[in-house]
């Protein structure tokens, strides 16, 4: 029969708690770096600016989401098998990065060139400012993808805590920078966001 007494500790409990803490902190830092720019726009500027920027950010993240949705789980599983073979894991990572750069860089350039037309087609001329921001964020597509490909390497080499620890200083710099330049408009915020995405990669 199943024991009725509550179990307050078990073998592996502290390791599970440490992993959960790392996942939580990583998700919090990632959320701030991915969303706080829009919070600051809403606070400093207005709802119209948030809408313009948000449409650009959401459209720019679609190719990245599709690419990483296919590559990241595959690389995480393959990396788990190679975690005791760092040379092969490194070679796999370099191959993955090369594929991302070969595929994403030309696509990002084409998307950036067509962004103003895409916004005009989908939303109309009232949203033209979104096209400029969208072009800038499309240029970040290779950096976004490279950052996503690198995450499984950290987790498969026992350095999962570095994902949030390496990004905390970036958040400490980006947050006041976004706040300071927000009154200049969404173009300034987009330039800073581009720098943040590249720095994360």
């Amino acid at each position: 029969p199943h024991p009725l007494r509550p179990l307050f500790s078990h073998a592996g409990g502290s390791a599970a708690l440490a992993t959960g803490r790392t996942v939580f902190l990583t998700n919090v830092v990632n959320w701030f770096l991915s969303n706080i720019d829009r919070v600051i726009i809403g606070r400093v500027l207005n709802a119209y600016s948030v809408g313009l920027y948000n449409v650009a950010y959401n459209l720019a993240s679609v190719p990245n989401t599709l690419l990483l949705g296919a590559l990241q789980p595959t690389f995480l599983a393959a990396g788990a098998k190679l975690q005791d073979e760092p040379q092969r894991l490194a070679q796999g990572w370099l191959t993955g990065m090369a594929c991302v750069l070969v595929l994403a860089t030309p696509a990002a350039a084409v998307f950036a060139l067509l962004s103003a037309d895409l916004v005009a087609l989908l939303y109309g001329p009232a949203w033209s400012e979104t096209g400029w921001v969208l072009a800038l964020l499309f240029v970040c597509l290779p950096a976004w993808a490279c950052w996503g490909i690198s995450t499984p390497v950290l987790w498969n080499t026992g350095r999962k805590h570095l994902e949030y620890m390496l990004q905390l200083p970036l958040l400490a710099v980006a947050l006041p920078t976004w706040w300071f330049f927000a009154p200049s408009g969404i173009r300034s915020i987009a330039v800073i966001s581009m720098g943040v995405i590249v720095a994360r990669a």
Side-chain angles (χ1 to χ4, degrees):
H2 194 282
L4 297 176
R5 188 175 62 186
L7 182 65
F8 293 106
S9 64
H10 61 89
S14 60
L17 188 61
T19 298
R21 184 172 49 246
T22 301
V23 169
F24 175 76
L25 290 171
T26 300
N27 286 339
V28 168
V29 172
N30 283 340
W31 184 90
F32 270 98
L33 283 169
S34 298
N35 294 287
I36 202 69
D37 50 352
R38 282 163 278 174
V39 173
I40 291 172
I41 290 170
R43 185 79 178 164
V44 176
L45 297 174
N46 51 44
Y48 175 68
S49 298
V50 174
L52 291 173
Y53 188 86
N54 203 38
V55 164
Y57 199 95
N58 290 341
L59 285 173
S61 65
V62 168
N64 179 58
T65 302
L66 294 173
L67 187 62
L68 287 184
L71 292 178
Q72 201 174 47
T74 305
F75 197 63
L76 188 60
K81 292 180 179 179
L82 298 174
Q83 61 186 346
D84 296 324
E85 301 178 62
Q87 294 297 328
R88 288 185 65 200
L89 181 59
Q91 187 59 46
W93 177 77
L94 287 172
T95 303
M97 293 287 275
C99 288
V100 164
L101 291 174
V102 165
L103 294 173
T105 303
V110 171
F111 290 154
L113 290 172
L114 298 176
S115 59
D117 295 330
L118 178 65
V119 169
L121 177 68
L122 293 175
Y123 296 98
W127 293 79
S128 60
E129 185 68 8
T130 297
W132 192 92
V133 175
L134 180 59
L136 198 63
L137 293 176
F138 270 146
V139 171
C140 298
L141 182 59
W144 252 333
C146 288
W147 168 70
I149 292 292
S150 298
T151 296
V153 174
L154 293 175
W155 284 80
N156 285 322
T157 56
R159 294 177 288 178
K160 56 186 174 279
H161 61 284
L162 291 179
E163 185 172 358
Y164 76 87
M165 289 182 70
L166 292 172
Q167 294 187 100
L168 277 174
L170 178 59
L171 179 60
V173 171
L175 192 59
T177 307
W178 272 318
W179 185 267
F180 181 78
F181 285 100
S184 302
I186 62 172
R187 289 188 178 203
S188 298
I189 294 287
V191 169
I192 296 164
S193 295
M194 181 183 183
V196 168
I197 293 166
V198 171
R200 289 174 85 183

